Amino acid sequence: MKNSLLLVIFIWLLHGSYAIAQGQTVSGKVTSQDDGSALPGVTVAVKGTSNGTSTDAEGNYSLPVPAQGGVLVFSFIGMVAKEIAINNQTRINVTLAPDAKQLSEVVVSALGFKENKDKLGSTASVVKAEDITRSGETGVINGLAGRASGVQISRSTGDPGAGSNIQIRGQNTITGSNQPLVIIDGVPMSNNTIGDVRGGVAQQSRLNDINPEDVASMQVLKGASAAALWGSRAANGVIVITTKKGADDNKINISYSTTASFDRVNRLHPLQEAYGQGTGGVYNPTSTLSWGDKIADRSGAADEVNMNGARFEAYNGQVFYPVIKKNSRETYVDERLDAVFRTGTYFDNNLSLSGGNEKGNFYLSLGDLRQKGIFAGQSDYNRSSVRFNSSRQFNEIIRATTNANYVRTTSNRIQKGDNASGLYIGLTRTSPDFDSRSWIGNYYASPTASPILNRQRTYRNPVGASANPGYNDPLWVINEQTNTSHVDRFLVNSEIVVSPMNWFNVTARGGIDSYTDRRITNFPVADATNSGRGQFEEQTIKETELNMDVIGRAMKDFGTNVTSTLIVGFNINDRKYNSQGGVMTNFIIPDAPANFNNSTRENNYPYTSTTHRRMARLYSSLNLGFYDQLFVNVSAAGESGSTFGNESKSTFYYPSADVAWQFNQLLGLSNNILSFGKLRAAFGIVGIQPDAYQNTTPYINASFSGIYANPISGTGYGGAYVQSSSQGDPDLRPERKTEWEVGTDLRFFNDKLTAGFTYYQNKINDLLLNVAAAGSSGFSTTYTNAGSMENKGLEVDLNYNLLKRDDFNWNVFANWSRNKNQVTNLAGTDNIVLTGGALATVAKVGYSLSSFYGGTAQRNEDGSLNLTDTGFPRLSNVLSIVGDPNPDWRGGFGTNASYKDFSLNVLFETSHGGDFYEGTRGVLVNFGTHADVGNEVTLTQDMYNYAGKLIPAGSTVRGNIADYGSGPVLLDQSWYTTLGGHSGQLTEQFVTDGSWTRVRELTLGYSLNSEGFRKKIKLQSIDFAITARNPFLWTKVVGVDPETNVSGVGNARGVDYFNNPSTRSLLFSIKFNY
Amino acid sequence: MKKIYKPILAVLVSIQLFSCEKIVDDLNVDPNNPTDAPANFVFTGTQLANVAVQEGQASRLSLIWTGYGTGVFQQYGTWHAYAITSSNFDEDWNNVFTGTNKNALITIQKAEALGNRKMVGITKIVQVNSLGTATELWGDIPYEEAGRNEEYTNARFESQQELYPKLIARLDEAIADLNSGIGTVGAEDIHFSGDATKWTQVAYTLKARLLMDTKQYDAAYAAAEQGISSYTNSLYAPHGTIPSVNQNHTFSLLTDVRAGSITAEGAYNAELLNPSSSIYRGNAKTDETARFKYYYLENGVNAPGTIEPNTLTTTAARGFFAMDADFPMVTYQENILTLAETALRSGRGLELALAHLNMYRSFLDKGGYIDPTYQVSATLNYEPYVLEDFEVGGIENQDGISPENALLREILEERYVTFYGQHLGWNDERRTRKEAYGIKLQPNNGNELPSRFIYSQNELNSNVNSPNPAPSLFDPIFIYQ
């Protein structure tokens, strides 16, 4: 009875007060502490005897016990065993808590049914709710990172609420989304990240609307067989989220938690401070470059200025005149960074009430997150949510459940990426000797001129003479622009389970997920967008998904050795998307309220777009169990979808099968070493739906632009239409992924060590592609089923309970996975561009998807560089594959330890062998601001520079020395501003090893729950925790977290191009449990 | 067990699958875009695509590769040094083929169905304008099999020997269509509102251009005689002030998308026109100040402090690349200078050639194509030349070459400075590269001048008939060999 104090917490004696102490029978019900659901199969035994039983399907048990009483032991796999003294009770209801030291063995299927993991032939990774909430991430996606093998979560930026790329077992489609289907409480929900592109702002993932505190469990169904019932929406895997329910414990549980987080920027590009603005070693206050004079050589006196011409009066009081002679040695790199970045914060408060009894239960939660980003301006993210989950058992036959969730998300974000209006372009390209902190003010064209108000001052526009600043000043970006999003979302689902017979039930389940997202983007007058004339955009996106399932489930045993479950279901899923909005350019009144009234008629551009997709599926699965050790599951789905081509048949079938064999039972292998052994194999086919309306080639507004010029459009020429250059296909079929996997789950040393191994292979046929067409055909792309791709991979999960003592528990865990993707056929086209630019990411036959494609140096037949006479590389006219951003392998490892009331959790994550494109560095060396080009070298011999000039030995010059194979050459401005920079297109020189290892999470917790404390405060416990999120990062990549990606959540990976930086955080949280 | 389930399942499956298909029927009809459009709208779309072709890389790479400007920054800095890859040409190649050519074929088909020969004729001229520019830049290109992917999945490339006669014949067809007088074209024609006379003249000037390419100077003269007869009949791309809708392409590039990327520091054309330059082409009879200022802004705004292509757009100053400056595509200037050059080259005599040149000079003397703001704010003077000016010791023959060559040199130089910002200037430079007289440029980098555009990466990747190995930037195309 050492643990009696602890155990008392969990015992609630509901019906036993009138029991008498005689030789008697004890009965009761065992439920899960997590969600109050009944636990079937729990072993109930009288301690020290062989007298025992197990609970039935409803969690009930009944056991004769000796008159003298004794102790009942309740044990169940994945749960903390509990011992309860019988005393004089005849009814003992028990709740069992999940065993934090062992992965829960109950998994929820794609249809929302609970299944015993040991009986499954397919693989699912379960991520515990507390791991997600403890991770310090504000959204559920990033909380998954590093916790499951084969699941890759890549955050594109540290912007609050930004989406992340989720990839399960490699990439499964080329031009469509690789994001998994998310099922919450049995119903799909939108996890779209709409409008996330190279420029603009980092868009939010709608998956992050879910309050992590409401999640009871989250699991990733990785294999095709587990997901096959979702047919053409399941190829990217399925994430199943189950939300919390009230416990059947006849009391109100109140829990309040509060978390404060302090976030700092993680990595910054190193910038030089030795040379000033200008070109060719000469200071020039309007140059775009920082290849000017050596700052140390300046006199140090005040700058000589022209006070008889124009001037700029900044609102912070500083006055600027055109510089005639630059004398000041002051530089402002640190000052600029200090002004742009701050310590970001968030405060997350959650209150939940829950409770229930056998008749019903409820869970009510209120969540409120207020985040301020690391940018010292208009960067925030707020999420408020209400969830009410309730369930009612009306009688033996009918049970009804409703889960309702309302979420409001508001945010204001910062322009990022490949974008002249973005933060990082201005921040990093601005010359070191320019002070950004006076970014806004009044411009006077002459000493007697009237002011022009609200002008932007930037390093190329030092007195604000031009309305067009070229690039925005970083402080203008974070202070003057508006990029808001306002989301109102409802997620409601209801379920009725009718169980007319004990072997048969019918589940009718309906769900609706509907949100509107109102986005406003305002670039005021004097912003770089639209050359300083102002641009305003407002867009309202509305998405509604309706889902309905009717599922019949029959269970029947044939003798004692054969069990069976048959499921037959029917599903209708209907999704509508609507986007309406407009763009307005050229404001009439510069500082009028931002709305569509502030421009002339021809500068307003409304737009609208609608899609409506529907699918209907009939599905069935049959589960057979033999001798409680061999389990076979066969299923099939037949599906019709509205987006299939009008010439193709519209019903497609998705079969799957898996088998699990607990071989240790048959072979009598259960011994002290091997406590459990299972072999499993699975096969399944899943798919990807075509996009809507791709069955025809539309006529579209004629809009044409040359490279780097803005387009001309039919709207300005009385209306003009052309046949789209993207060709449709009336024969569209869903893309199909066929996957098989084999694996084993093993447990050793009395379950102390658990291990899982899986090998899988999949082949994706009929890939839906925008096949690049030769322009001469009349089309630049054709959307069609073409080509194939394959993935092969290995996944390993390990957990070892090093110590399991009464007051000291310690386990270590690790997961490891590798996935090898190869594009095997693209129907004759050489490659398909996923993102363009000087460095493209492409699909190309024989290479991994998303391989880098760019310019290389010309090479001789022997592989050496074909150099110029002066020893420099030459650019090849055609592009080649220059790198592969897909890692060779990834892993997560860590430890959970607890001693008395203290706990420690550490999670490492690592990624090895993926390439990374340092686009930002490539541009900054061109601009002369990167630390790499702040060096001075003294030549030991005569050397040529790229311009062909011979620099004599002994010269001390700005630059670096390199040797491309024919002796040392000088890399100076003539090199970096042409072939040696990103725009020189010799992209292979900026591809680097993007491997990294990081500590994702480090948490120290303390729980105050002693009996004395509980009696005094009337609380069950107070839990304290300090978490460091992302505290350590080891990588060869300089200046940026290599997890970043300019394309956001798109299929292109591993490219840095002025992405906003990621963050690391320190969090403090307190949770009160009543 | 199976006895119970199987029949139920079979019935359920058959009923439900049938209803599955009914549930999703008829939802895949695009509510956002039409699947067809009337001829007149596709006609306008075709014209816009051709504008993008003429004002795209054709114009901009000519700027930096023909001494009209200087690429100093980002992509244009690199391209200036001839470091360029095939993917940099995808967009412009597509503008020719998926933009102009395919939609021209669609327009012609739709217009023929309506019996609108006028629209057919104009469309053919627009088509040849794009394809002509394409072959001048890329060399061999697909023609007969282009834009017909239902019949030809890999369009055949045609040699210039094969292609030029076909393009010329296409223009003749167009002229016949226009001469038939059948059909109606109005405001959907963004250039001439359906004026058949102007289009016929454009067709002849284009024909003369193609004949110049193949050095058939006699035929070129004959075609040009029926070519554009006045400045107002010139084919210009109309522009306006609305961003991303109707602004001058190069304006948006120079001021917005790649601001400051192209200057005119050390540009040969700027030196020729700059009255304070040592190689200033002005003389006692010629004052280029107005044209110089119209082309270039000495104290730039996009590349502050340096000379750059003039993008000023104010009531007092509208540069060549002003926001709403119309862009020259096929002009009176070209036609009359073609008459001058071909008169000389076809042996029609110095007097006739000089008469054409003087006619052009008198056009310039009245302001010519120079924006009126600069005719007011700067000086210009183009007095007629006389034969003596080209004789040894004359103002146009200080170095003592033959009068004929001196006149040719002046005509070629006049063509060069006139064709500012157009690929025609680069055409002339390549056409006369091996001749004694013409514009002689120093390479921006290395010791070779570029000779062509390289093929689009997409075309190379996806058309098995595309040239293999792909020619490099320095391999001359057939007509300019």
Side-chain angles (χ1 to χ4, degrees), chain A residues 468 605 610 614 642 651 693 699 708 710-713 717 721 723-724 772 775-776 778 829 831 853 877 983 985, chain B residues 1 17 21 23 28 32 34 41-42 78-79 86 88 95 102-103 147 238 242 244-245 252 255 257 457 459 461-462:
Chain A
N468 179 6
Y605 311 99
T610 300
R614 186 183 291 160
S642 67
T651 302
Y693 317 129
Y699 277 68
Y708 300 124
N710 290 330
I712 52 170
S713 162
Y717 294 90
Y721 275 78
Q723 192 188 47
S724 169
S776 63
T829 194
N831 68 63
Y853 189 62
N877 281 343
S983 59
Q985 304 182 90
Chain B
M1 171 200 76
L17 285 182
E21 295 188 9
I23 288 168
N28 209 18
N32 302 309
F41 292 110
V42 188
T78 320
W79 295 344
S86 45
N88 301 137
N95 282 346
K102 177 185 71 173
N103 289 298
I242 311 173
S244 295
V245 171
S252 73
T255 62
V257 189
Q457 184 79 45
E459 187 73 28
N461 286 348
S462 303

Side-chain angles (χ1 to χ4, degrees), chain A residues 171-178 688-691 694-697 725-736 764-773 779-790 821-834 841-850 1051, chain B residues 462:
Chain A
Q171 291 159 301
N172 298 298
T173 183
I174 291 183
T175 51
S177 165
N178 264 308
I688 299 260
Q689 282 180 1
D691 292 342
Q694 298 295 326
N695 52 330
T696 49
T697 308
S725 66
S726 180
Q727 191 178 25
D729 180 2
D731 295 311
L732 285 177
R733 307 179 295 279
E735 183 175 319
R736 287 164 80 80
I764 301 118
N765 287 319
D766 284 347
L767 279 170
L768 288 162
L769 298 178
N770 279 309
V771 178
F779 296 98
S780 56
T781 59
T782 303
Y783 187 79
T784 187
N785 293 93
S788 55
M789 181 164 80
E790 62 184 28
N821 172 285
Q822 197 185 26
V823 177
T824 48
N825 181 3
L826 290 176
T829 194
D830 182 79
N831 68 63
I832 288 167
V833 175
L834 305 177
T841 55
V842 299
K844 186 173 164 75
V845 174
Y847 295 90
S848 297
L849 186 61
S850 306
N1051 288 352
Chain B
S462 303

Side-chain angles (χ1 to χ4, degrees), chain B residues 203-337:
Chain B
Y204 278 112
T205 301
L206 262 184
K207 193 173 162 182
R209 184 192 291 182
L210 297 175
L211 291 164
M212 287 278 274
D213 280 341
T214 50
K215 301 185 181 171
Q216 294 169 268
Y217 296 117
D218 190 56
Y221 185 88
E225 278 188 308
Q226 301 186 71
I228 300 167
S229 62
S230 71
Y231 177 57
T232 51
N233 288 359
S234 297
L235 184 72
Y236 270 76
H239 285 297
T241 55
I242 311 173
S244 295
V245 171
N246 60 8
Q247 285 182 0
N248 182 292
H249 280 270
T250 303
F251 170 85
S252 73
L253 181 138
L254 291 174
T255 62
D256 187 4
V257 189
R258 282 292 176 272
S261 277
I262 299 176
T263 69
E265 287 166 280
Y268 183 60
N269 186 57
E271 302 279 308
L272 277 182
L273 292 173
N274 185 349
S276 60
S277 143
S278 62
I279 59 163
Y280 176 50
R281 70 185 297 273
N283 52 34
K285 295 184 172 179
T286 312
D287 180 351
E288 295 281 14
T289 311
R291 181 147 65 168
F292 174 65
K293 289 186 182 298
Y294 169 54
Y295 282 178
Y296 299 106
L297 189 62
E298 281 181 281
N299 192 357
V301 290
N302 305 302
T306 51
I307 182 170
E308 65 177 16
N310 190 347
T311 56
L312 289 184
T313 312
T314 66
T315 47
R318 293 179 70 260
F320 185 87
F321 291 115
M323 181 192 289
D324 55 352
D326 294 349
F327 182 84
M329 292 163 63
V330 186
T331 57
Y332 171 68
Q333 300 89 290
E334 176 189 356
N335 195 70
I336 193 164
L337 289 170

